[in-house]
Amino acid sequence: MTTDRAIPTEPGILAFHERCEDFYPADAVNAPIQQQRAWYDALCAEFDAPSPEGLARQDEIVGGRIPVRCYRPAAIVTQTRIFYIHGGGFVVGSLQSHDAICAEIAHAAKAELVSVDYRLAPEHVWPAAFDDCFEVLKWLLVDGRPLVIAGDSAGGNLAAGAMLKARAEAIGGIVGQVLIYPGLGGDLVSGSYAEMAEAPGLSTADVAYYRDVLKAPAENAFAHPLKAADLSGLPPAYITSAHFDPMRDDAAHYAQRLIAAGVNVTYRDEPQMIHAWLRARHMSEGARQGFAHLCRGVSDLLGTL
């Protein structure tokens, strides 16, 4: 049973969660995959937002098979691009599910942004999604323009893993990483995984389900970045978590380890937020503030502040 300490008190985020459950029930992971995706698509559409004025989109295909969407805001002040990887437990999500979020980040940061439509589990288990993201990462770096890699939830996992692989292969040009309530391979039995086991929006059992569906090797650091023995030499990071989220400690522990390894890190734990709070940015004051801090963090990594 959910305890009082696992429930936020901010009215806006509570209203957001209630609205989410109208579209995506708490036991959604028990439904067939196609039903989960239909529910998720309807949920995302419910929280859609008007596109920033003057922002242009262009869809492309990378490597003959990987869809990407390129966002170009009306005002651009940097040649550095943002590479955004969406969340969704590796099971749901698409270019469209995070379209408004990507558009608003690009607009706020005054930078081009590219998002990726990677292959989803269970049809495509590890390392399909990871390989797709890494292929797009290398494609973006071909022209020599610097890059900030960002992702939320499962996308934060993929972004962190891609950073580790880029370091292993001595691939340069990545100047920052942005991890938004990422799942990074925590143990599922201690810390926030126990304290927030039944937090609204995402339970520890849900996290276990998504890991089981992905079927990533348990000791692979690209799949579980907290398993990496050494985090030195990685680019500066902006990391944000939700306090009422079983994956909170993944973000906190990764930030602590990066700092210990000499990496410049800004870490924020949003005190009243639940998992997926990005979607609440237009109805929750805490989410609005968190999103503003996120956009400033992205701009700082881009060197545009």
Side-chain angles (χ1 to χ4, degrees), residues 12-300:
I13 203 66
L14 292 173
F16 164 75
H17 174 60
E18 183 177 353
R19 197 162 159 192
C20 285
E21 290 205 322
D22 289 339
F23 290 86
Y24 202 78
D27 61 350
V29 297
N30 297 321
I33 294 296
Q34 293 307 319
Q35 178 63 75
Q36 291 184 44
R37 290 175 183 158
W39 283 335
Y40 189 75
D41 290 346
L43 167 67
C44 296
E46 174 68 10
F47 292 101
D48 209 353
S51 185
E53 185 176 355
L55 182 136
R57 295 166 173 80
Q58 181 177 337
D59 289 352
E60 299 185 30
I61 300 293
V62 174
R65 63 182 181 83
I66 309 170
V68 298
R69 180 166 294 170
C70 306
Y71 298 80
R72 186 176 177 84
I76 295 177
V77 297
T78 177
Q79 285 299 301
T80 305
R81 283 179 293 199
I82 305 162
F83 175 35
Y84 195 93
I85 306 174
H86 71 76
F90 311 101
V91 169
V92 299
S94 64
L95 294 179
Q96 193 57 39
S97 68
H98 286 62
D99 180 77
I101 291 168
C102 288
E104 290 179 35
I105 292 174
H107 174 75
K110 296 182 172 59
E112 291 184 32
L113 182 150
V114 176
S115 64
V116 56
D117 197 10
Y118 55 83
R119 287 172 290 176
L120 298 174
E123 297 93 335
H124 305 283
V125 297
W126 173 267
F130 183 79
D131 288 348
D132 288 353
C133 294
F134 199 71
E135 185 170 342
V136 174
L137 175 68
K138 292 188 292 183
W139 174 75
L140 285 166
L141 290 168
V142 165
D143 63 5
R145 293 173 58 183
L147 193 69
V148 168
I149 184 169
D152 69 279
S153 194
N157 169 282
L158 292 165
M163 283 300 325
L164 291 171
K165 185 172 183 179
R167 183 191 62 174
E169 297 188 3
I171 295 173
I174 306 170
V175 298
Q177 54 182 320
V178 178
L179 310 179
I180 306 162
Y181 38 79
L184 301 173
D187 61 20
L188 299 184
V189 296
S190 66
S192 59
Y193 281 109
E195 181 186 357
M196 298 295 168
E198 296 185 46
L202 184 74
S203 68
T204 297
D206 292 337
V207 178
Y209 163 82
Y210 292 127
R211 288 191 191 179
D212 182 64
V213 169
L214 186 64
K215 302 193 181 309
E219 298 305 314
N220 188 307
F222 297 160
H224 307 287
L226 280 168
K227 298 292 178 88
D230 176 22
L231 297 181
S232 62
L234 291 171
Y238 182 91
I239 302 176
T240 181
S241 59
H243 183 76
F244 296 95
D245 182 349
M247 298 199 300
R248 179 192 67 213
D249 286 355
D250 280 20
H253 293 161
Y254 201 67
Q256 291 163 4
R257 289 193 55 205
L258 285 170
I259 292 168
V263 178
N264 185 6
V265 177
T266 298
Y267 171 68
R268 280 182 59 87
D269 179 47
E270 300 299 341
Q272 281 292 309
M273 293 299 97
I274 63 174
H275 195 77
W277 60 257
L278 281 185
R279 296 198 186 281
R281 66 197 182 281
H282 296 302
M283 64 180 298
S284 155
E285 179 58 22
R288 186 193 67 76
Q289 292 180 12
F291 188 70
H293 282 288
L294 168 66
C295 291
R296 282 195 292 270
V298 171
S299 295
D300 187 42

